Amino acid sequence: MIRLLGYFFGIGVVLALVAAAGVALYVGNLTKDLPDYEVLARYEPPVTTRIHASDGNLMAEFARERRLYLPIQAIPDTVKEAFLSAEDKNFYSHPGVDATGLMRAVITNLQNLGSDRRLVGASTITQQVAKNFLLSSDQTIERKIREMILAFRIEQAYSKDRILELYLNEIWLGLGAYGIAGAALTYYDKSVNELTVAEAAYLAALPKGPSNYHPFRHTDRAIERRNWVIDQMHANGYISAEEAERAKATGLDVTPRRRGSYLFAADFFTEEVRREIIARYGEDALYEGGLSVKTTLDPQLQLYARKALQNGLIRYDTLRGFRGPVDQISVDGDWGVPLGEIEALSDVPEWQLAVVLEAGENQVTIGLQPGREVSGTLSEERETGTIAVDDMQWALRHMVDGRRVKASSPAEVLQPGDVVYVEEKEDGENAWQLRQVPEIGGAMVAMDPHTGRVLAMSGGFSFASSEFNRATQALRQPGSAFKPFIYAAALDNGYTPASVVLDAPISIQVGNTLWEPKNYGGKFAGPSTLRAGIERSRNLMTVRLARDMGMDLVAEYAERFGVYDKMSRHIANALGSSETTLMRMVSAYAVMANGGKYIQPSLIDRIQDRYGKTVYKHEQRECSGCDAEAWENQPEPELIDDREQVLDPMTAYQITSMMEGVVTRGTATTVSELGYPIAGKTGTTNDEKDAWFIGYTPDLVVGVFMGYDQPRPMGRGSTGGGLAAPIFKEFMAKALEGTTPVDFRVPDGMKVVAIDRKTGMHAEAGQPGVIMEAFKPGTGPADTYWVIGDMQGSAQAQEISPEADRAITTGAGGLF
């Protein structure tokens, strides 16, 4: 018997050894190609890039996975306790696998055999880290064993806090949010430090299946799961019974954070920054790199720029009459449903969509789009209002079969079912004004001339309507706005503001034809000073001046200022016929405003990586001594500015002074009403296809452009002085409000001499027609009357190469 027992024992031992060997072989086979868990030490998850305005306001976030990485020390205890209660209450005591939980899960699954219930898991947080980072999500025994083995190894290599940190930053929590910081912002629009017990518990309920506990589609299920987490927090001793009951008594109160741009009116600016980051670092850096980008945007100036540009575009557009409704729907029955399906301009909240219910002789009855803001509140009711005939007077001139006709009443313009834009009047309840999206395009840029920081930029009427940025992407002819660079080149090369150039007809042979540029209006003034030429924007004088200097010199200065990378030497380009962008023009004017220093325009002040290290900064000037810890009677720190001097400071002041004359006596006198020292220049091209005004104070440069996206005439009289300058004026009135006027700084050594405005010769101060003019040392008014261009061009034709023909004949008008 004993021998028999020994025999069976031996067989059992052999079988056990064989089984153990088989298990060891099986496990060894599973572990031989396990992923290297040491990659966790180098873990860099995709993190959200955040873009901020200069005052710290959040402008936009860009991410493929909306995640903000937080070290474990920055995660509040309440949040950690909620997740531990929901996922792994024994996390800090087990070695990676919770044996008790595992046995409980096995028993439960055996009991549920044959039922439709899903298998119960027993994964610890460490196992979830192993699965999420190193393995697939396959529901197999092999993957589970590999997961457990990796969990043991991870526990031996990393601290519990590190493992929990990885888990809380990696998990997917629905609505595109990854990690606890991203989820707090996505679900509640707040930081993790602001989460309540109820909010933390709800987020902790989501890892089991975010779609199963969706806050809006499965609200009851979500609250039930959240309350279970709260009960677990109480059972584990993290919160009191009173706190638990108080938390369970609240609703989910989820307030999803909207995506895209967060700062109103900054869409064009944000999109330009997005493109620049992609160009600089690539898409992965933008959408996964966790960059922190501080831009140059001044939010208040941006609001002023948006409004001024919109008002200017609307002013022009309404003078051209009404082009018709946005859409048309049936007003039989519930008109709110089809009206609500039409998408309004999201970035023009002042306007609302409305449907015409009735059009009469003196007014129009309208129905407002449901869900839109009415008198400061969101409305789902079928709100109605009226448009008086006086509030749509401009629309009585409307388009019929391509012709503009005059209507006698609103009923001839609008019909029931027409969908239109309206804006609520300030002085009347439920009284509205008719609006339409301008067909004309335009842009505005405001820049700090000393640093090149772009403070505001509006690329059109509405980003929602058209994402095309006319400030940076539209190539347009600058017309006479280019003339200051020709005059600056002249002043830098021996001419003075009092030099006299002939303003008279000129003919230039181009191939087999004659090019005969003209002044705006067709008149000419005879011999005139350079100052008079730029103040009155004389084309004929500019052509003669460019010929006298040579187009090689003109092109050199245009390239030096950054107007063009490579400018053609054709004489027609002296009148601004070669295309450039508004951003380049504003940057070039900034050189004259800052005393001749080259500047590189920038929308970004600084970029930091996910660890806070600065990887880019726009400011390259050095300040020796600025970082001193204390004042010890050392010399005052000096900012070393080694930027290229592209223009003599004295020349910069002279051309600035001459452009002050454009504002006080020339083509932009409307701007002088601001009462501040402002220099600037208007610009209009052939057939009034482009209208410009670029002006500046000592500390702010602003450029405005208007024109159709597909260039076509804007109508006689549509000049830079009439269209662009009023927009500049409206913006500057707000931007300069409350500031003290500052004169342009006169460089040391400049002489101010009284001269006759017409002849440019010395005169007695205080006499009629006498002005004070600035001269460089060694220069002054001419002793004899000498006219540049006299006997040149008016009777004789200069031969021009055929290659110049196209540049000349395609619109080198260079008007006002």
Side-chain angles (χ1 to χ4, degrees):
M1 184 66 179
I2 294 175
R3 181 179 298 177
L4 184 61
L5 290 174
Y7 175 75
F8 282 119
F9 178 76
I11 292 175
V13 169
V14 171
L15 291 175
L17 290 173
V18 170
V23 170
L25 183 64
Y26 175 71
V27 172
N29 187 56
L30 289 177
T31 59
K32 67 180 181 180
D33 58 347
L34 277 178
D36 183 4
Y37 58 86
E38 293 184 359
V39 299
L40 299 179
R42 304 183 298 274
Y43 172 59
E44 289 189 348
V47 181
T48 301
T49 288
R50 311 183 85 193
I51 297 177
H52 300 265
S54 61
D55 64 353
N57 271 313
L58 181 64
M59 293 172 60
E61 295 178 324
F62 296 100
R64 294 192 179 105
E65 299 178 1
R66 295 169 65 82
R67 177 190 286 109
L68 297 173
Y69 195 92
L70 286 180
I72 194 66
Q73 297 84 354
I75 301 175
D77 290 340
T78 300
V79 173
K80 290 185 283 189
E81 292 161 359
F83 278 85
L84 291 175
S85 298
E87 295 293 313
D88 190 359
K89 67 178 181 179
N90 298 321
F91 172 71
Y92 278 98
S93 59
H94 64 63
V97 176
D98 188 351
T100 303
L102 182 61
M103 290 303 298
R104 189 185 309 113
V106 170
I107 294 171
T108 301
N109 289 330
L110 288 174
Q111 292 173 343
N112 292 336
L113 282 176
S115 68
D116 294 332
R117 295 183 181 179
R118 185 179 177 183
L119 294 177
V120 175
S123 293
T124 63
I125 284 177
T126 311
Q127 288 175 263
Q128 293 184 56
V129 168
K131 180 186 71 173
N132 293 339
F133 285 86
L134 305 171
L135 300 172
S136 69
S137 297
D138 297 338
Q139 297 291 327
T140 63
I141 297 297
E142 289 81 0
R143 197 271 297 163
K144 197 68 177 177
I145 295 173
R146 289 158 62 88
E147 175 187 297
M148 295 170 66
I149 295 170
L150 278 173
F152 283 122
R153 293 182 178 180
I154 290 170
E155 288 274 353
Q156 294 171 357
Y158 302 102
S159 69
K160 289 284 188 179
D161 281 349
R162 173 60 177 168
I163 296 169
L164 184 59
E165 176 183 301
L166 292 171
Y167 171 77
L168 291 176
N169 281 287
E170 174 66 17
I171 50 173
W172 179 58
L173 294 168
L175 298 188
Y178 290 78
I180 183 60
L185 287 171
T186 299
Y187 282 89
Y188 293 107
D189 199 15
K190 58 174 65 173
S191 71
V192 290
N193 293 309
E194 299 173 300
L195 293 175
T196 65
V197 170
E199 292 165 348
Y202 174 60
L203 297 182
L206 294 171
K208 289 297 184 189
S211 60
N212 296 331
Y213 307 109
H214 193 281
F216 305 118
R217 291 197 294 265
H218 306 296
T219 306
D220 292 340
R221 195 187 302 170
I223 291 176
E224 181 183 355
R225 174 68 180 175
R226 181 207 65 178
N227 290 349
W228 177 85
V229 175
I230 293 173
D231 287 336
Q232 292 300 304
M233 293 177 71
H234 169 55
N236 293 330
Y238 295 132
I239 58 175
S240 66
E242 292 78 10
E243 289 176 310
E245 291 303 316
R246 204 162 43 242
K248 290 194 292 183
T250 64
L252 289 182
D253 300 329
V254 170
T255 54
R257 184 185 184 89
R258 73 183 185 91
R259 304 197 179 190
S261 179
Y262 300 107
L263 191 63
F264 179 63
D267 302 275
F268 284 108
F269 199 106
T270 300
E271 175 60 16
E272 195 67 23
V273 171
R274 186 191 72 85
R275 284 197 293 263
E276 183 173 337
I277 294 175
I278 290 176
R280 188 183 295 271
Y281 301 112
E283 286 196 10
D284 288 346
L286 174 67
Y287 292 105
E288 299 181 359
L291 302 175
S292 176
V293 183
K294 183 181 179 183
T295 71
T296 60
L297 181 77
D298 183 314
Q300 192 60 60
L301 291 182
Q302 182 64 34
L303 290 176
Y304 297 154
R306 167 191 177 269
K307 196 63 178 175
L309 180 63
Q310 285 186 344
N311 288 345
L313 298 178
I314 292 171
R315 262 194 311 271
Y316 173 88
D317 190 69
T318 53
L319 291 175
R320 270 70 193 166
F322 186 60
R323 293 188 301 278
V326 174
D327 205 338
Q328 194 164 51
I329 61 173
S330 173
V331 292
D332 296 331
D334 187 359
W335 47 263
V337 175
L339 182 60
E341 293 174 350
I342 301 175
E343 188 175 356
L345 294 177
S346 58
D347 56 349
V348 190
E350 304 95 323
W351 291 11
Q352 299 186 43
L353 282 175
V355 61
V356 175
L357 302 177
E358 183 181 353
E361 292 296 314
N362 298 312
Q363 71 173 26
V364 175
T365 302
I366 56 172
L368 301 171
Q369 187 179 49
R372 296 287 286 168
E373 190 170 308
V374 179
S375 299
T377 60
L378 288 178
S379 170
E380 293 296 337
E381 300 292 331
R382 299 298 179 258
E383 298 281 347
T384 60
T386 59
I387 305 173
V389 64
D390 289 342
D391 294 321
M392 58 173 291
Q393 197 70 39
W394 62 272
L396 296 184
R397 298 175 68 236
H398 65 124
M399 300 299 294
V400 177
D401 297 329
R403 296 183 302 108
R404 187 175 290 110
V405 299
K406 177 71 173 177
S408 60
S409 71
E412 296 180 36
V413 179
L414 296 173
Q415 304 297 320
D418 285 348
V419 178
V420 295
Y421 279 108
V422 295
E423 182 176 9
E424 191 172 18
K425 294 183 66 177
E426 296 180 0
D427 56 351
E429 186 174 345
N430 274 344
W432 301 80
Q433 304 173 78
L434 182 65
R435 296 294 189 212
Q436 75 177 356
V437 177
E439 191 178 16
I440 192 77
M444 173 182 281
V445 172
M447 180 183 293
D448 180 341
H450 305 292
T451 62
R453 299 174 69 248
V454 178
L455 305 176
M457 177 176 63
S458 185
F461 178 80
S462 163
F463 185 81
S465 174
S466 169
E467 296 183 9
F468 181 62
N469 191 336
R470 295 152 190 85
T472 60
Q473 295 176 302
L475 290 170
R476 310 294 296 218
Q477 294 180 334
S480 291
F482 179 73
K483 289 176 182 174
F485 308 115
I486 296 178
Y487 284 80
L491 295 172
D492 226 22
N493 288 273
Y495 300 79
T496 76
S499 296
V500 178
V501 177
L502 182 62
D503 181 23
I506 185 172
S507 298
I508 301 176
Q509 189 74 35
V510 181
N512 296 322
T513 62
L514 287 177
W515 178 50
E516 298 181 339
K518 292 180 173 57
N519 291 327
Y520 192 76
K523 299 180 180 179
F524 49 90
S528 303
T529 62
L530 292 193
R531 172 179 285 277
I534 201 168
E535 287 181 356
R536 304 306 305 171
S537 198
R538 300 293 185 181
N539 295 336
L540 300 174
M541 289 180 63
T542 304
V543 170
R544 280 190 169 85
L545 183 62
R547 286 179 59 201
D548 193 60
M549 290 189 296
M551 285 302 294
D552 285 341
L553 184 63
V554 171
E556 177 193 336
Y557 271 75
E559 294 163 10
R560 185 187 297 183
F561 278 83
V563 181
Y564 306 106
D565 291 328
K566 184 69 175 178
M567 177 180 165
S568 169
R569 270 56 175 168
H570 302 320
I571 188 66
N573 285 338
L575 298 183
S577 68
S578 191
E579 295 173 335
T580 186
T581 66
L582 176 62
M583 181 67 78
R584 280 179 173 260
M585 289 293 289
V586 171
S587 302
Y589 271 68
V591 173
M592 294 181 284
N594 69 24
K597 289 280 190 180
Y598 177 77
I599 59 103
Q600 180 66 43
S602 178
L603 281 70
I604 299 173
D605 273 337
R606 184 191 67 235
I607 301 176
Q608 294 173 293
D609 65 16
R610 66 175 70 205
Y611 304 109
K613 178 184 177 182
T614 297
V615 294
Y616 167 82
K617 64 176 182 177
H618 172 65
E619 180 58 80
Q620 298 297 320
R621 293 178 296 175
E622 296 182 1
C623 181
S624 177
C626 283
D627 58 351
E629 295 182 359
W631 176 255
E632 297 178 355
N633 296 319
Q634 68 265 41
E636 184 176 330
E638 182 179 354
L639 188 63
I640 301 173
D641 188 355
D642 56 359
R643 292 175 299 178
E644 181 184 1
Q645 189 79 40
V646 299
L647 189 67
D648 186 316
M650 292 187 176
T651 299
Y653 176 76
Q654 286 179 313
I655 192 65
T656 294
S657 175
M658 292 163 66
M659 285 195 287
E660 279 191 276
V662 173
V663 172
T664 56
R665 293 180 294 271
T667 57
T669 52
T670 182
V671 175
S672 65
E673 297 170 10
L674 290 169
Y676 284 78
I678 294 175
K681 183 70 185 74
T682 55
T684 314
T685 60
N686 268 4
D687 301 322
E688 289 94 349
K689 292 180 180 178
D690 306 85
W692 299 71
F693 183 77
I694 306 174
Y696 54 90
T697 67
D699 299 307
L700 183 64
V701 185
V702 178
V704 179
F705 154 78
M706 277 184 65
Y708 289 102
D709 289 344
Q710 295 298 322
R712 69 175 193 257
M714 294 184 289
R716 187 64 179 172
S718 298
T719 63
L723 296 182
I727 298 175
F728 172 92
K729 176 186 173 183
E730 181 179 340
F731 171 82
M732 293 297 274
K734 289 288 189 180
L736 299 176
E737 188 175 11
T739 64
T740 302
V742 177
D743 290 324
F744 291 100
R745 188 180 69 84
V746 182
D748 294 337
M750 293 288 291
K751 297 185 301 180
V752 179
V753 180
I755 65 168
D756 184 281
R757 283 189 61 209
K758 288 186 174 293
T759 66
M761 301 186 71
H762 192 280
E764 292 295 326
Q767 298 299 315
V770 174
I771 61 171
M772 305 303 293
E773 191 62 86
F775 292 90
K776 299 176 184 177
T779 68
D783 295 328
T784 58
Y785 191 61
W786 179 63
V787 180
I788 299 170
D790 194 13
M791 299 304 291
Q792 295 182 40
S794 55
Q796 301 175 351
Q798 180 186 10
E799 195 70 38
I800 288 289
S801 65
E803 296 85 57
D805 179 68
R806 183 176 179 276
I808 292 174
T809 57
T810 53
L815 307 176
F816 284 153

